[in-house]
Amino acid sequence: MTALEKATGDAVFKFEPFVLHVLCRELQDAQLLHSVAIDSGFRNSGITVGKGGKITMAVRSTHCLEVPLSHKGRLMVSEEYIEFLVRVANQKMEENI
C-alpha cells in the first residue's frame, strides 16, 4: 500500500497463468500431450510447428488476472479490494499447482 500511495504513474495487479513449453520429437507426441493437457483443464494449450519443423507443445492454464489499481498516481481501489485480489490470485496459484 505504501508503494501504491507513492506511485506517480499507473499501477496494475497482474497474475500470469502457468505456462510450460515442451519440445516434441514427433507431431503425434505433441498431439498426445495436447490431449492430456486439455483433459486436465489447461484449455489454452496448443501446438506450434516452426519453419524448421520444430514442434513445440505449450501447456497453458486460463487462470489470469489483470486489474488496474491506480491511474496517474491516483489510487482507484481500496486496501480491502487489493487484499481480495491477493486472495483470488493465491487461489489461482493453488489451482495452477
Side-chain angles (χ1 to χ4, degrees), residues 5 15 22 32 51 57 63 79 88:
E5 291 166 0
F15 175 83
V22 180
L32 177 60
K51 290 180 182 177
M57 168 53 206
H63 299 113
E79 183 173 355
V88 170

Side-chain angles (χ1 to χ4, degrees), residues 6-96:
K6 292 179 181 179
T8 57
D10 295 352
V12 176
F13 184 95
K14 189 171 185 179
F15 175 83
E16 295 278 341
F18 170 81
V19 178
L20 172 68
H21 291 102
V22 180
L23 189 60
C24 300
R25 288 188 178 152
E26 304 290 333
L27 183 57
Q28 68 187 45
D29 298 330
Q31 290 170 328
L32 177 60
L33 181 55
H34 183 261
S35 295
V36 170
I38 296 294
D39 291 344
S40 297
F42 295 97
R43 294 183 299 273
N44 282 353
S45 298
I47 300 169
T48 303
V49 179
K51 290 180 182 177
K54 184 168 86 171
I55 303 165
T56 304
M57 168 53 206
V59 180
R60 296 186 197 100
S61 83
T62 58
H63 299 113
C64 61
L65 178 65
E66 187 170 355
V67 181
L69 301 178
S70 68
H71 180 64
K72 295 182 180 177
R74 181 171 172 245
L75 189 59
M76 305 299 289
V77 297
S78 68
E79 183 173 355
E80 178 183 5
Y81 185 68
I82 293 171
E83 290 169 357
F84 168 74
L85 290 175
V86 170
R87 286 192 304 272
V88 170
N90 285 337
Q91 181 181 359
K92 289 178 179 295
M93 180 63 83
E94 288 298 320
E95 291 172 8
N96 274 341

